[in-house]
């Protein structure tokens, strides 16, 4: 994903598109230290080559979902009720009429979490859950679709280039299922200027504020 201080040609944003076409390769995208530990232990037992993506930033606070055992092709579902915010109750969140699923690579969990927290506080008509792409390849689409079909809209947040990325692939599959309320945030296929990780993400429009605004736009369109 986005890398701070290494220069415009050293961003880790091209790997998904480059490696997704390699036969028999597994590609995982972890979200936390515990998730990395579980996925690394699993990887050492495989006969196939395994690539594990991990972001260049501090680890987020662990939640129970990050300790779930690996299931090939399947991600980690984090309900918005897991994100505690002030005096907003679970029942208040569950009864909101507009339901959005944010699908993200593991390195974007922190920004997505911030965005969901803002949604809970500022938008009392929107509920946003999170599906983290622990597996980029292989991807269990049928399992994912059983989750996605319960939502009005799906927002993809990928810390890689959009062209040829996993979000593009899933969007096409959802479109074939007549799912139309979709949007993808990610990097364009160009070199980005040097900066901190937060600055690079903001340049690409995948920071927490951009995620929040995109959820609102999806609901209001």
């Amino acid at each position: 994903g986005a890398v701070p201080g290494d220069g415009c040609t050293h961003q880790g944003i091209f790997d998904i598109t480059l490696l997704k076409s390699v036969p028999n390769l597994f590609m995982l995208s972890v979200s936390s230290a515990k998730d990395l530990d579980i996925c690394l232990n699993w990887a050492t037992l495989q006969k196939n080559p395994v690539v594990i993506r991990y972001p260049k930033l501090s680890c987020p606070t662990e939640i129970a979902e990050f300790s779930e055992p690996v299931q090939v092709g399947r991600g980690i579902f984090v309900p918005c009720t897991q994100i505690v915010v002030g005096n907003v109750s679970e029942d208040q969140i569950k009864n909101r009429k507009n339901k959005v699923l944010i699908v993200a690579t593991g390195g974007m969990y922190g920004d997505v979490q911030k965005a969901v927290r803002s949604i809970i506080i500022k938008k009392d008509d929107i509920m946003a859950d999170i599906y983290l792409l622990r597996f980029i390849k292989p991807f269990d689409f049928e399992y994912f679709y059983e989750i996605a079909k319960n939502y009005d809209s799906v927002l993809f947040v990928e810390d890689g280039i959009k062209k040829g990325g996993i979000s593009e692939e899933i969007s096409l599959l959802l479109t074939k299922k007549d799912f139309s309320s979709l949007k993808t945030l990610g990097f364009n296929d160009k070199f980005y200027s040097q900066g901190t990780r937060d600055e690079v993400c903001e340049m690409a429009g995948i920071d927490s504020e951009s995620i929040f605004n995109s959820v609102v736009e999806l609901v209001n369109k």
Side-chain angles (χ1 to χ4, degrees), residues 103-114:
V103 181
T105 44
M108 294 308 304
Y109 173 72
D111 291 282
V112 171
Q113 183 194 49
K114 290 178 187 175

Side-chain angles (χ1 to χ4, degrees), residues 35-197:
D35 190 17
L36 174 60
D37 182 53
I38 290 170
C39 289
L40 186 58
N41 286 329
W42 174 86
T44 62
L45 302 175
Q46 307 311 304
K47 294 181 179 179
N48 293 53
V50 180
V51 170
I52 300 178
R53 297 182 96 236
Y54 62 93
K56 198 169 184 180
L57 78 168
S58 299
C59 294
T61 301
E62 297 292 346
I63 57 176
E65 285 80 359
F66 293 155
S67 295
E68 292 176 0
V70 174
Q71 297 185 69
V72 176
R74 299 184 178 184
I76 298 173
F77 178 74
V78 183
C80 62
T81 51
Q82 180 68 262
I83 300 171
V84 180
V85 177
N87 297 320
V88 183
S89 70
E90 288 191 17
D91 287 338
Q92 287 175 311
I93 298 172
K94 289 177 181 177
N95 291 328
R96 294 179 177 184
K97 64 178 182 178
N98 298 298
K99 301 184 186 302
V100 179
L101 183 63
I102 304 176
V103 181
T105 44
M108 294 308 304
Y109 173 72
D111 291 282
V112 171
Q113 183 194 49
K114 290 178 187 175
V116 170
R117 186 174 286 112
S118 295
I119 290 165
I120 293 172
I121 295 171
K122 299 177 181 179
K123 295 292 177 180
D124 58 8
D125 61 335
I126 303 175
M127 184 201 78
D129 291 328
I130 304 168
Y131 186 87
L132 295 168
L133 294 166
R134 179 183 259 177
F135 270 86
I136 291 172
K137 182 184 179 180
F139 180 75
D140 188 337
F141 177 73
E142 293 306 321
Y143 172 81
F144 168 76
Y145 182 68
E146 288 302 308
I147 296 172
K149 70 181 184 181
N150 298 309
Y151 294 83
D152 304 303
S153 305
V154 176
L155 174 68
F156 295 95
V157 185
E158 181 171 352
D159 57 346
I161 59 171
K162 290 182 283 187
K163 189 174 182 180
I166 181 62
S167 299
E168 182 182 74
E169 178 182 329
I170 303 170
S171 292
L172 288 172
L173 293 170
L174 284 175
T175 301
K176 291 179 181 178
K177 295 276 191 179
D178 295 325
F179 204 112
S180 59
S181 186
L182 304 167
K183 184 172 182 177
T184 297
L185 302 182
F187 290 92
N188 294 319
D189 51 340
K190 67 175 188 178
F191 294 115
Y192 284 78
S193 299
Q194 178 169 300
T196 66
R197 187 180 187 278

